[in-house]
Amino acid sequence: MNTTHARRIRSFVRREGRLTSGQQKNLELLWPRYGLAMPEAPIDWAAEFGREAPRTLEIGFGAGEVLADLAVRYPDEDFIGIEVYLTGVGRLLGAVDAAGASNVRVFNLDAVEVLAAGFADASLDNVLLYFPDPWPKKRHHKRRIVQPGFADEIARVLKPNGLWRLATDWANYAEHMRETLDAHSSFENVGDRDGFVSEPPRTGTRFEARGLRKGHAVFDMAYRRLP
């Protein structure tokens, strides 16, 4: 019997930079407080945070600027981040600890695997996906994380009327996101400017700044999970 299985195409390639001494210290001291391992069953988030509150997940939080800002500005809400690069995790842990924020939990794992294992149906109020790897070459477009199957999974974990916010500084990827999600039966585009969001409720990121320096336009989108 042929036991060979097709390998899932990953949307990222590990290009881990060198940890600074501060990031390493943050990981050693703060991971026990904020970090989570791969769950064996869907997590009871109310038990994890010790309360029932609006809940936001950011996938691929990069250096953590958005997640840290939200956690500090909205102490009555809870925030979960998934990031594969330890440099970004170290930065985020330092920022939330310095701010005294206790409403953050972090995974250093593949988002697709964590979503499937750790999140029950309708367990999130918001999902954020800001500046994912654009995979600009046409032969690599299959690696882009925004695909119909991934949209199915986001629809599963979002509550009815929950929001999925996205951003990219690659026009071709923005078109791909729009084509994929505008056609999805579980989502409604709620952009205010020809299907895009004119004033996104987020702080800037270093990935965004890098794109702007290169002359890229930035495209923000928002989709509501239909009941």
Side-chain angles (χ1 to χ4, degrees):
M1 181 176 65
N2 187 353
T3 58
T4 301
H5 296 277
R7 181 178 62 86
R8 182 177 68 79
I9 295 173
R10 290 188 182 273
S11 63
F12 62 90
V13 174
R14 287 193 180 275
R15 296 183 289 264
E16 191 72 71
R18 179 174 295 180
L19 289 166
T20 66
S21 59
Q23 291 165 357
Q24 184 65 51
K25 183 179 180 180
N26 290 340
L27 290 167
E28 293 172 357
L29 297 180
L30 302 176
W31 183 259
R33 185 187 311 173
Y34 297 104
L36 296 172
M38 177 64 79
E40 297 181 357
I43 292 172
D44 181 343
W45 293 108
E48 175 63 37
F49 285 104
R51 64 182 182 179
E52 189 61 62
R55 197 172 301 127
T56 295
L57 167 68
E58 184 174 8
I59 296 170
F61 58 74
E65 302 101 330
V66 171
L67 203 60
D69 177 68
L70 290 172
V72 172
R73 284 199 289 140
Y74 300 102
D76 293 331
E77 300 183 17
D78 293 328
F79 298 89
I80 306 153
I82 305 176
E83 176 56 59
V84 295
Y85 301 114
L86 283 172
T87 51
V89 175
R91 286 179 181 275
L92 174 69
L93 296 183
V96 296
D97 181 64
S102 60
N103 56 338
V104 178
R105 298 292 184 274
V106 180
F107 293 100
N108 176 223
L109 294 165
D110 180 347
V112 174
E113 295 175 358
V114 175
L115 279 171
F119 290 82
D121 295 357
S123 57
L124 296 169
D125 296 273
N126 303 283
V127 173
L128 313 177
L129 181 68
Y130 292 145
F131 305 99
D133 196 321
W135 293 102
K137 295 181 180 178
K138 187 173 183 179
R139 69 177 183 272
H140 292 154
H141 284 185
K142 63 186 178 182
R143 289 185 175 273
R144 289 174 167 175
I145 193 170
V146 178
Q147 304 289 351
F150 182 71
D152 291 343
E153 189 69 353
I154 299 300
R156 180 186 69 80
V157 299
L158 267 177
K159 296 177 181 179
N161 297 311
L163 286 179
W164 184 9
R165 295 188 178 276
L166 309 93
T168 181
D169 64 308
W170 287 82
N172 179 267
Y173 201 180
E175 293 173 6
H176 172 84
M177 290 175 173
R178 287 289 307 274
E179 290 174 0
T180 301
L181 300 183
D182 286 355
H184 199 286
S185 61
S186 294
F187 290 104
E188 175 190 20
N189 187 317
V190 292
D192 64 311
R193 189 194 64 199
D194 297 327
F196 293 98
V197 176
S198 58
E199 296 184 8
R202 61 174 179 81
T203 189
T205 77
R206 62 183 54 207
F207 292 103
E208 178 179 16
R210 185 173 63 187
L212 291 171
R213 287 196 300 270
K214 293 180 179 179
H216 296 181
V218 173
F219 304 88
D220 276 81
M221 291 147 276
Y223 287 84
R224 183 175 70 90
R225 171 66 164 95
L226 294 171

